Amino acid sequence: MYRTIQLSLQARIQAILLAKYDIALAQFAVEQPPNIALGELALPVAFELAKRLRKAPRAIATELAAELNSSLDQLPGVASVEVAGAGYLNIRLDRAAAVRAIAADRHADIGGPGFRLVEHTSINPNKAAHIGHLRNAILGDTFQRLLRPDEYKRGYQVGVQNYIDNTGVQVADVVVGLVHLEGRDLRTTRRLLDELALAGERIDFYCWDLYARVSQWYAGTGVDDATAPDAAELARRKQIRLDTLHALEHGGDETAAIADLISTAVLRRHLETMQRLSIEYDFLPRESEILSLHFWDAARILMLERGVLYLETEGKNKGCYVMRRAGNEAAAEGPEASGPDEDAKVIVRSNGTVTYVGKDIAYHLWKFGLLPGKDFGYARFHEYPTHTCWISTASASDPDAPTFGRADAIYNVIDSRQNDPQNNVIAALRGMGFTEAADQYTHFSYEMVGMTPRCAIDLGYALSDEDKQRPFIEVSGRKGYGVKADDLLDKLTAAAQAEVDTRHPELSGEQRTTIATQIAVGALRFFMLRFTRNTVIAFDFKDALSFEGETGPYIQYAIVRAANIFRKAGTTEEASLAAMADLDLSLLAGEDGTSLWETWLLASRLTALIEQAIATAEPAYLARYGFQLAQQFNNFYHRHHILTEPDPNRKAVFLATAAVARREMVRVLGYLGIEAPAAM
């Protein structure tokens, strides 16, 4: 309802501006007054027009208010428009009409044509997922939920991809560990997988420890060294690493086969971990296919044809194919005109190897459907309850595979340390003339996740006195220092289980476990979402699981509290909301009515918050809104004695207020990927 009124006001004012002043204003701000006594919306549009009309803002606001008040029949839900301060337009709503519209679930739609591609998670398939990966996956999964159509909004057509770098240095390091530290070949690596499965152990956990061992082996500090290696030995180990990496990139030998076996097994574990958090994918594009299907060759030809890529013949990048960076006007005239562009980005090294950025440019050309004659083969990989997850293959494609790529807009969830590579991809698209694609490419960046010292100690890590004073402890996969995602979920679930077991011994063990899992997942997902993306997070068990403050369990508890009202009242939310059509709503005008009205008004803002979260690529706005709505409901709950209210009309309005708050809180949690438990 709130967004419906916003849109109708904007449309009416735009029509007035065009007719009265011959001014077209595409969009303008809609704010909230500092106090509801001043109205429900405030429009500073007069300030935006002051210079263009050469009039005082208040004079413009007065003219606009007169026009709006004379056409209230075109603004359903608006009671009056007033001029305030130096030129604000304050909008007062018809509370009774608005509440009935909110109860009937009437709202403005969100969405439109076009295919939105969201890529997130993208964990190197060389070890278990850790706490830092979870922020990426939860952000991406939440954002795709906001975009997708559902019973509440039209939404967009959305595809979710999880890029798998199965030929990179991290996978190469695990292969080095298997082959050179443990003496395995392809046959004995297969046996290892069988032995781990038989023992109920996980390959991703095994590789977690092996990866740390390999990192120490490269440095000569590991337990695999009987004596300290000399410089020649360290150089040999470095060469082994490079040779293994090249073998993975070229493919076709036993080293590449070991890498494929291990990375695929680890990937399956990653999907299981993410499914515990209700995170699913549509397509898993692998770097091995980008290489074997020669995506880069097609991209290189296109970049050369469009003048973005050229062979450097002098300077430090001699023999490399380089890309001009945006803004280098001298270099744009050609290398002959200005000499070597020392700031150019190397795309192909002088030894012929393609850089990460080069492969990424090719991949994103494919995403936008701009890579001539190139596509993946598609094979079934994992079955979710409602759909298939596909994986790329160099073999013939499954004839039943859907279409991937050809996106109209792309959102890449990648941490802020990748700003430069992401900017280079955008620059390449723009340089090739694909301006619209570049404009629709969003680097959905975020900052790192660490642990509070208290959390690290809870997990069994020994900290120095200095570390205990730090605001957070940084995760390091190479050092084996961090929190495995599954261990984190297990610990959160166990803590929630202990609380649920104490509070609800009357429930079955299965019911208590379900509730504990919902609380644990809700706590983790909300903790990762409540902070804006540019904030470094220090995770803490106690903070995340708290039933007080800005947490997932706080909102879940408010939902359970609301549900208990209807159980005790012997009615349903649906019946209470339907009754609003015939109730006397005059009580909304009094002092008590204002507190009720504030709950309804806040509950009506969900679609406006979803639109804001999409426009800014910031799910934290929705998480904060969910917390505010739970706070508002709890304030209402403590202020009014709902079940013992003697006046039937007032009681019915109270019940409907609880119903609308619960309905919207459940919806908010749904978009955040969190379930509402039956009990807390």
Side-chain angles (χ1 to χ4, degrees), residues 315-636:
K316 68 175 185 178
N317 294 328
K318 182 179 180 181
C320 301
Y321 279 91
V322 298
M323 181 182 78
R324 298 183 184 90
R325 292 184 186 268
N328 193 330
E329 306 301 337
E333 298 174 5
E336 298 83 3
S338 58
D341 177 8
E342 300 292 353
D343 193 44
K345 181 66 180 177
V346 175
I347 302 299
V348 183
R349 301 182 186 93
S350 58
N351 63 5
T353 60
V354 184
T355 62
Y356 167 83
V357 172
K359 289 181 282 190
D360 213 28
I361 291 170
Y363 173 44
H364 284 89
L365 286 168
W366 169 82
K367 280 186 178 181
F368 279 115
L370 300 172
L371 197 61
K374 292 295 181 183
D375 197 2
F376 293 104
Y378 302 96
R380 296 175 186 272
F381 186 75
H382 183 80
E383 294 298 326
Y384 292 113
T386 59
H387 69 102
T388 298
C389 177
W390 300 80
I391 196 167
S392 62
T393 176
S395 305
S397 190
D398 187 313
D400 295 327
T403 300
F404 296 99
R406 302 176 189 174
D408 296 290
I410 288 172
Y411 299 89
N412 278 347
V413 186
I414 305 175
D415 73 57
S416 58
R417 291 170 293 185
Q418 298 299 315
N419 284 341
D420 187 62
Q422 290 290 293
N423 289 336
N424 283 316
V425 174
I426 294 171
L429 291 170
R430 204 173 298 282
M432 283 183 275
F434 301 127
T435 304
E436 186 176 352
D439 290 342
Q440 296 300 319
Y441 184 114
T442 300
H443 175 200
F444 199 103
S445 66
Y446 63 93
E447 291 295 336
M448 61 164 285
V449 180
M451 304 173 284
T452 63
R454 179 173 69 180
C455 178
I457 292 170
D458 285 347
L459 289 163
Y461 290 107
L463 300 185
S464 66
D465 290 339
E466 182 182 358
D467 283 340
K468 290 177 183 177
Q469 302 304 313
R470 295 182 186 277
F472 62 87
I473 307 298
E474 191 169 348
V475 173
S476 173
R478 290 192 178 277
K479 297 176 183 177
Y481 189 82
V483 189
K484 298 185 188 76
D486 284 282
D487 287 347
L488 175 63
L489 276 166
D490 289 345
K491 191 170 180 67
L492 284 167
T493 304
Q497 182 86 52
E499 190 70 24
V500 174
D501 288 346
T502 300
R503 295 186 181 210
H504 296 285
E506 76 283 1
L507 299 178
S508 70
E510 183 179 354
Q511 288 174 316
R512 295 198 304 271
T513 297
T514 297
I515 292 169
T517 301
Q518 291 171 328
I519 293 171
V521 171
L524 179 56
R525 287 192 66 125
F526 193 88
F527 194 93
M528 293 294 180
L529 293 167
R530 60 175 279 210
F531 301 96
T532 54
R533 293 185 287 112
N534 61 357
T535 304
V536 174
I537 293 179
F539 184 81
D540 187 275
F541 289 109
K542 292 182 176 63
D543 290 345
L545 278 170
S546 174
F547 280 26
E548 299 298 327
E550 196 171 345
T551 68
Y554 178 83
I555 305 174
Q556 289 174 318
Y557 187 78
I559 290 171
V560 170
R561 170 177 275 169
N564 286 337
I565 293 171
F566 295 97
R567 178 176 56 80
K568 293 175 181 177
T571 186
T572 65
E573 298 164 42
E574 293 76 15
S576 296
L577 289 169
M580 289 296 282
D582 302 313
L583 291 176
D584 176 6
L585 300 182
S586 59
L587 78 163
L588 292 173
E591 184 179 343
D592 271 359
T594 294
S595 69
L596 290 175
W597 168 235
E598 286 176 331
T599 304
W600 284 88
L601 185 63
L602 187 59
S604 75
R605 297 188 67 227
L606 177 55
T607 49
L609 264 295
I610 291 173
E611 185 179 50
Q612 181 185 13
I614 291 172
T616 59
E618 186 54 88
Y621 292 136
L622 191 64
R624 171 56 63 90
Y625 168 71
F627 170 65
Q628 291 172 337
L629 186 55
Q631 277 186 313
Q632 182 68 36
F633 166 74
N634 284 331
N635 291 337
F636 153 75

Side-chain angles (χ1 to χ4, degrees), residues 628-649:
Q628 291 172 337
L629 186 55
Q631 277 186 313
Q632 182 68 36
F633 166 74
N634 284 331
N635 291 337
F636 153 75
Y637 175 85
H638 290 299
R639 180 167 184 157
H640 301 282
H641 301 291
I642 303 169
L643 296 174
T644 58
E645 170 58 49
D647 183 284
N649 188 81

